[in-house]
Amino acid sequence: QVQLVESGGGLVQAGGSLRLSCAASGRTFRLYVMGWFRQAPGKEREFVATINWSAGSTSYADSVNGRFTISRDNAKNTVYLQMSSLKPEDTAAYYCATGRVVLGREAREYDYWGQGTQVTVSS
């Protein structure tokens, strides 16, 4: 069992920045791929970014590429999502997840999920 806890969400003006954190605990030996997804009201959950736990390889959705950066601190079992140049369309609940498919972009490829943290970007 893996427990994931997100933090760092909040209200920010368009053009601003936020950093989300996701702390993992439990059977961390299973952690290989970490991902961030988001879900806006009335929309399906969508892929945001993913990182290979050991190699540091990353992949991003086109909508956030160049604005968001995913990183990890293996010693702290924590993954971060640095979000810059935020837009109102980035408003959503953000979820971190852990999976075993390298650089997976599909929610079904992730096994454990956090409870989510809300990000609201005002125009």
Side-chain angles (χ1 to χ4, degrees):
Q1 189 74 17
V2 176
Q3 293 79 42
L4 302 172
V5 179
E6 303 99 333
S7 61
L11 175 64
V12 63
Q13 289 188 334
S17 300
L18 279 176
R19 189 177 80 157
L20 305 183
S21 300
C22 174
S25 60
R27 300 183 67 179
T28 56
F29 69 89
R30 287 188 175 186
L31 291 178
Y32 186 63
V33 174
M34 294 295 295
W36 285 96
F37 289 75
R38 66 187 182 186
Q39 187 168 18
K43 296 187 177 181
E44 294 187 353
R45 190 168 297 189
E46 64 173 358
F47 167 77
V48 175
T50 184
I51 186 166
N52 177 301
W53 190 258
S54 60
S57 299
T58 59
S59 180
Y60 297 91
D62 290 344
S63 59
V64 307
N65 197 23
R67 300 188 298 120
F68 290 11
T69 301
I70 188 171
S71 62
R72 82 274 190 258
D73 184 334
N74 291 346
K76 296 182 179 180
N77 287 330
T78 300
V79 174
Y80 305 96
L81 185 69
Q82 178 67 48
M83 304 184 296
S84 303
S85 301
L86 283 162
K87 305 174 181 179
E89 51 263 43
D90 294 318
T91 295
Y94 283 71
Y95 300 88
C96 71
T98 180
R100 288 165 286 177
V101 177
V102 176
L103 302 182
R105 289 171 166 249
E106 301 294 331
R108 66 176 183 270
E109 295 170 332
Y110 290 80
D111 302 315
Y112 298 99
W113 294 80
Q115 82 290 348
T117 186
Q118 179 67 35
V119 172
T120 302
V121 184
S122 63
S123 57

